[in-house]
Amino acid sequence: MNNLCADIGYRSLNKKGELLCGDSVEVTSQTDNSNSKIIVLADGLGSGVKASILSTLTARIIAKMMAEGLDIEDCVSTIAATLPVCSVRGVAYSTFTIIHLIDNEDAEIIQYDNPHVILLRQGKYVELPTTIMKIDGKEIYKSRVSLQKDDVFIAVSDGAIHAGVGKYLNFGWERDNIIEFSETFCQVGYTAKTLTTILLDKCNELYGNEPGDDTTVCVVKIRKREPMNLVIGPPQDPDDCSKMMSLFFSKEGKHIVCGGTTSMIAADFLRKKLIPLLEFPDPEIPPIARIDGVDLVTEGVITINKVLTYARDYLAENEDYAAWSFHRDGASQIARLLFEEATDINFYVGKAVNPAHQNPDLPINFSIKMRLVDELATCLRQMGKNIKLSYF
Amino acid sequence: MKITVCIGSSCHLKGSRQVVEQLKELITAHGLEEDVELSGTFCMGKCEQGVSATLDDQQFSLSPENTKEFFEKNIRGVLAAK
């Protein structure tokens, strides 16, 4: 066991005019070991519904079988036997790329007919040692490397290397071009999701916003674990204040305090002054405050509600990134800490009912707070973070 | 004189930002930076009367509409009488 973990991001562009994407990405943890992850990118033959079914089946079957510890040979023959045969072309076909992270120590990469996975180490392209195996007459490439901090694996479907063919480029955006482009910014500290967005936006641009093929980018970034702690809400029993705070502050990593009353309790516990700032960088979000020894102090429900909006967008289109990536309001700061910096997040949730918030005229109440925290935790889990919730 | 305005969730929704910004402007416009200190606080526990504010030890209920009146009467008025 080391202190590395994987940050995984992926997104697809649909071929122009298609409602469904013919590429699929599936991420699962190995059943008996949550430190081992399986990422499958499959590209189904053709486009639209048919391709979508082929790639979804391929990605799901491989991910599930590998999660249960089965051999790649078994996976491939299962897929060949299961996929429906295309009536036009007479074949059942979907290409795939598998990145299997073992104990966060090694990566095994298995590829069939997709553009080869790109490994950037210390920001520079590294050739993967590859062997070829034949399974059911298919040539399958297999590589294994031990992981290092800041390794970036980029898997793409062929839509990416064909971006711009005949439009802006003669031969498309070849693998070498993608490598050259990625090397320039992969070390800046962007998350896997943001790296994905940058690459995919470039593909879309080269296609002139009219993708000629389904295009998928999947980035796996190996990084150090970064614990983060967030407390929101006073405990149900006021006598539990110092218990809650001492558990919270004894944890390794940064500390975020959300909520007016909560921050007063935190300030009392630390015997420090609570200084609210009277600045409104975002008119919607209440100001932040400072307490010596706390990394960030914000208001509660309104701020967290905004963070949740950002989290949902981050998992979908990632369009708000331009806002929260540098803004100074409380919600943007929490978003940066939770989405970008943290890998393991401990939530300390106080269940006290704030009498002032029970006013029916106000759009906030106790159940909303609980729901916000639950939904935020769900989103963060989807981002691949380890989440622990403790209630007081 | 010290004005403290609540910037907690409830008062925020009732317009504490507008109150703070109006007060900031009024203080600067009348050149009272030396006489009046403006600060914020989280929940004062009087959310139903928000936007909660205190002027020294006195409690007030402000809104973006009555802020100017409050400033004229309780701040400029009192300072002028001194």
Side-chain angles (χ1 to χ4, degrees):
Chain A
M1 183 66 187
N2 52 22
N3 69 343
L4 296 179
C5 65
D7 173 19
I8 302 162
Y10 55 89
R11 225 182 98 196
S12 303
L13 292 173
N14 295 3
K15 181 178 172 177
K16 192 198 165 207
E18 296 288 355
L19 289 173
L20 289 171
C21 186
D23 298 343
S24 295
V25 178
E26 192 70 25
V27 178
T28 42
S29 298
Q30 206 161 306
T31 316
D32 53 0
N33 181 356
S34 64
N35 285 318
S36 291
K37 289 221 157 47
I38 297 128
I39 300 124
V40 186
L41 187 165
D43 178 356
L45 179 70
S47 59
V49 179
K50 194 155 47 185
S52 175
I53 293 172
L54 287 170
S55 65
T56 311
L57 276 171
T58 306
R60 290 267 167 91
I61 291 171
I62 294 179
K64 186 73 186 160
M65 288 181 75
M66 298 219 27
E68 298 293 340
L70 287 155
D71 286 339
I72 177 67
E73 284 85 355
D74 291 334
C75 300
V76 173
S77 47
T78 307
I79 284 173
T82 316
L83 289 190
V85 174
C86 170
S87 58
V88 182
R89 300 169 183 89
V91 283
Y93 181 83
S94 167
T95 65
F96 58 80
T97 301
I98 308 169
I99 301 177
H100 184 193
L101 303 172
I102 304 155
D103 262 336
N104 289 324
E105 277 171 357
D106 290 296
E108 195 177 49
I109 295 157
I110 299 158
Q111 329 193 51
Y112 172 57
D113 257 14
N114 270 342
H116 284 195
V117 169
I118 297 164
L119 167 59
L120 300 177
R121 180 162 278 176
Q122 312 285 334
K124 285 273 163 266
Y125 173 70
V126 178
E127 190 100 35
L128 287 165
T130 304
T131 52
I132 304 175
M133 358 178 245
K134 285 236 174 191
I135 305 174
D136 288 353
K138 295 180 166 73
E139 277 193 1
I140 295 186
Y141 291 79
K142 195 171 171 178
S143 318
R144 190 173 173 124
V145 278
S146 53
L147 297 174
Q148 290 183 12
K149 184 176 162 282
D150 296 330
D151 279 355
V152 173
F153 294 89
I154 305 171
V156 295
S157 68
D158 60 1
I161 57 168
H162 293 152
V165 172
K167 262 192 172 155
Y168 298 110
L169 301 166
N170 286 335
F171 299 105
W173 203 33
E174 291 174 58
R175 191 167 171 269
D176 287 342
N177 305 134
I178 298 180
I179 292 171
E180 208 180 312
F181 180 70
S182 311
E183 278 180 345
T184 56
F185 59 83
C186 80
Q187 270 197 308
V188 185
Y190 291 130
T191 64
K193 179 76 190 195
T194 307
L195 292 171
T196 303
T197 308
I198 297 172
L199 281 168
L200 208 59
D201 283 350
K202 186 69 188 174
C203 292
N204 200 22
E205 184 194 323
L206 290 170
Y207 271 125
N209 294 319
E210 295 181 342
D213 192 2
D214 298 317
T215 307
T216 300
V217 176
C218 174
V219 174
V220 178
K221 187 177 173 184
I222 305 301
R223 49 172 299 189
K224 216 177 108 237
R225 286 196 173 280
E226 200 70 57
M228 191 80 58
N229 307 283
L230 185 148
V231 65
I232 177 164
Q236 202 163 22
D237 181 349
D239 293 342
D240 286 343
C241 282
S242 63
K243 180 177 127 201
M244 184 183 187
M245 287 299 157
S246 65
L247 282 169
F248 172 70
F249 282 111
S250 63
K251 283 275 191 260
E252 186 195 343
K254 287 194 175 166
H255 296 87
I256 306 169
V257 176
C258 297
T261 317
T262 317
S263 48
M264 288 188 230
I265 297 170
D268 268 359
F269 177 82
L270 295 172
R271 293 172 206 281
K272 299 283 183 199
K273 256 204 173 135
L274 169 65
I275 307 158
L277 306 181
L278 276 183
E279 284 164 29
F280 296 86
D282 180 336
E284 272 180 50
I285 308 298
I288 58 167
R290 295 205 192 292
I291 303 174
D292 252 8
V294 181
D295 297 284
L296 178 63
V297 185
T298 72
E299 178 274 343
V301 251
I302 301 169
T303 307
I304 289 292
N305 190 28
K306 188 74 184 181
V307 176
L308 180 60
T309 311
Y310 286 149
R312 289 201 184 112
D313 169 73
Y314 184 77
L315 289 165
E317 306 301 320
N318 202 11
E319 281 167 348
D320 292 342
Y321 178 74
W324 61 259
S325 60
F326 72 96
H327 282 181
R328 292 182 298 124
D329 64 276
S332 299
Q333 293 197 40
I334 294 183
R336 287 201 291 275
L337 289 172
L338 296 189
F339 308 169
E340 297 197 314
E341 240 186 273
T343 58
D344 300 74
I345 306 163
N346 299 308
F347 279 97
Y348 294 78
V349 186
K351 294 200 288 184
V353 177
N354 187 340
H357 291 180
Q358 300 315 302
N359 183 343
D361 295 341
L362 288 174
I364 46 173
N365 64 43
F366 176 71
S367 57
I368 285 183
K369 186 172 82 183
M370 285 310 178
R371 212 193 64 218
L372 285 178
V373 173
D374 281 348
E375 286 181 22
L376 183 60
T378 309
C379 287
L380 291 166
R381 282 200 181 100
Q382 282 171 19
M383 292 179 201
K385 322 251 175 212
N386 291 322
I387 308 293
K388 228 177 87 186
L389 289 157
S390 320
Y391 293 92
F392 289 86
Chain B
M1 287 178 135
K2 182 172 179 173
I3 317 174
T4 309
V5 182
C6 177
I7 51 168
S9 321
S10 184
C11 291
H12 180 81
L13 292 169
K14 290 181 175 179
S16 63
R17 179 179 64 89
Q18 288 94 319
V19 171
V20 168
E21 283 175 353
Q22 281 190 43
L23 287 173
K24 270 187 191 167
E25 275 170 29
L26 289 164
I27 290 169
T28 323
H30 293 93
L32 296 176
E33 293 93 338
E34 297 288 310
D35 304 289
V36 184
E37 187 189 346
L38 183 62
S39 72
T41 176
F42 281 134
C43 197
M44 293 172 159
K46 293 197 170 58
C47 307
E48 35 327 321
Q49 297 160 30
V51 174
S52 303
T54 55
L55 177 60
D56 296 327
D57 295 328
Q58 245 182 308
Q59 174 78 35
F60 288 90
S61 170
L62 298 183
S63 70
E65 290 74 39
N66 73 7
T67 303
K68 191 158 195 295
E69 189 192 321
F70 160 81
F71 182 81
E72 292 298 338
K73 189 172 154 216
N74 297 286
I75 296 172
R76 285 196 72 203
V78 173
L79 282 174
K82 268 188 187 170

